[in-house]
Short mmCIF file of all heavy atoms in Angstrom, two decimals:
data_model
loop_
_atom_site.label_atom_id
_atom_site.label_comp_id
_atom_site.label_asym_id
_atom_site.label_seq_id
_atom_site.Cartn_x
_atom_site.Cartn_y
_atom_site.Cartn_z
N PRO A 186 -20.22 -15.85 14.70
CA PRO A 186 -20.44 -17.30 14.67
C PRO A 186 -21.23 -17.83 13.47
O PRO A 186 -20.98 -18.91 13.05
CB PRO A 186 -21.20 -17.54 16.01
CG PRO A 186 -20.90 -16.35 16.85
CD PRO A 186 -20.68 -15.21 15.93
N GLY A 187 -22.13 -17.00 12.99
CA GLY A 187 -22.93 -17.47 11.87
C GLY A 187 -22.23 -17.41 10.54
O GLY A 187 -22.73 -17.93 9.54
N GLN A 188 -21.07 -16.75 10.48
CA GLN A 188 -20.33 -16.59 9.22
C GLN A 188 -19.04 -17.42 9.19
O GLN A 188 -18.70 -18.00 8.15
CB GLN A 188 -19.93 -15.13 9.01
CG GLN A 188 -21.12 -14.13 9.08
CD GLN A 188 -22.07 -14.32 7.95
OE1 GLN A 188 -21.66 -14.44 6.77
NE2 GLN A 188 -23.35 -14.32 8.21
N CYS A 189 -18.32 -17.48 10.34
CA CYS A 189 -17.07 -18.20 10.38
C CYS A 189 -17.11 -19.47 11.19
O CYS A 189 -16.11 -20.20 11.30
CB CYS A 189 -15.93 -17.30 10.83
SG CYS A 189 -16.11 -16.76 12.57
N GLY A 190 -18.22 -19.69 11.93
CA GLY A 190 -18.36 -20.89 12.71
C GLY A 190 -17.62 -20.91 14.05
O GLY A 190 -17.37 -21.96 14.61
N ARG A 191 -17.16 -19.74 14.49
CA ARG A 191 -16.37 -19.65 15.75
C ARG A 191 -16.95 -18.56 16.64
O ARG A 191 -17.49 -17.57 16.13
CB ARG A 191 -14.88 -19.35 15.45
CG ARG A 191 -14.27 -20.44 14.59
CD ARG A 191 -13.00 -19.91 13.96
NE ARG A 191 -11.94 -19.68 15.02
CZ ARG A 191 -10.98 -20.55 15.23
NH1 ARG A 191 -10.86 -21.62 14.52
NH2 ARG A 191 -10.03 -20.28 16.17
N ALA A 192 -16.73 -18.72 17.96
CA ALA A 192 -17.20 -17.64 18.88
C ALA A 192 -15.98 -17.18 19.61
O ALA A 192 -15.81 -17.43 20.88
CB ALA A 192 -18.24 -18.23 19.83
N ASP A 193 -15.03 -16.53 18.97
CA ASP A 193 -13.80 -16.01 19.57
C ASP A 193 -14.03 -14.54 20.01
O ASP A 193 -14.93 -13.87 19.52
CB ASP A 193 -12.66 -16.00 18.55
CG ASP A 193 -12.34 -17.44 18.06
OD1 ASP A 193 -12.75 -18.41 18.81
OD2 ASP A 193 -11.71 -17.58 17.02
N GLY A 194 -13.19 -14.12 20.95
CA GLY A 194 -13.33 -12.72 21.42
C GLY A 194 -12.20 -12.28 22.32
O GLY A 194 -11.08 -12.82 22.23
N TYR A 195 -12.49 -11.36 23.21
CA TYR A 195 -11.44 -10.85 24.12
C TYR A 195 -12.00 -10.56 25.49
O TYR A 195 -13.23 -10.33 25.66
CB TYR A 195 -10.87 -9.54 23.47
CG TYR A 195 -11.86 -8.43 23.30
CD1 TYR A 195 -12.07 -7.43 24.25
CD2 TYR A 195 -12.62 -8.34 22.13
CE1 TYR A 195 -13.00 -6.43 24.09
CE2 TYR A 195 -13.54 -7.32 21.94
CZ TYR A 195 -13.73 -6.38 22.92
OH TYR A 195 -14.67 -5.38 22.73
N ILE A 196 -11.12 -10.65 26.49
CA ILE A 196 -11.52 -10.33 27.87
C ILE A 196 -11.71 -8.88 28.04
O ILE A 196 -10.87 -8.00 27.60
CB ILE A 196 -10.38 -10.84 28.83
CG1 ILE A 196 -10.08 -12.36 28.61
CG2 ILE A 196 -10.76 -10.57 30.33
CD1 ILE A 196 -11.21 -13.29 28.85
N LEU A 197 -12.78 -8.47 28.75
CA LEU A 197 -13.01 -7.07 29.01
C LEU A 197 -12.17 -6.55 30.08
O LEU A 197 -11.94 -7.18 31.07
CB LEU A 197 -14.50 -6.89 29.37
CG LEU A 197 -15.59 -7.17 28.34
CD1 LEU A 197 -16.96 -7.01 28.89
CD2 LEU A 197 -15.38 -6.35 27.10
#
Side-chain angles (χ1 to χ4, degrees):
Q188 307 292 316
C189 66
R191 300 161 70 101
D193 299 341
Y195 60 93
I196 304 299
L197 294 179

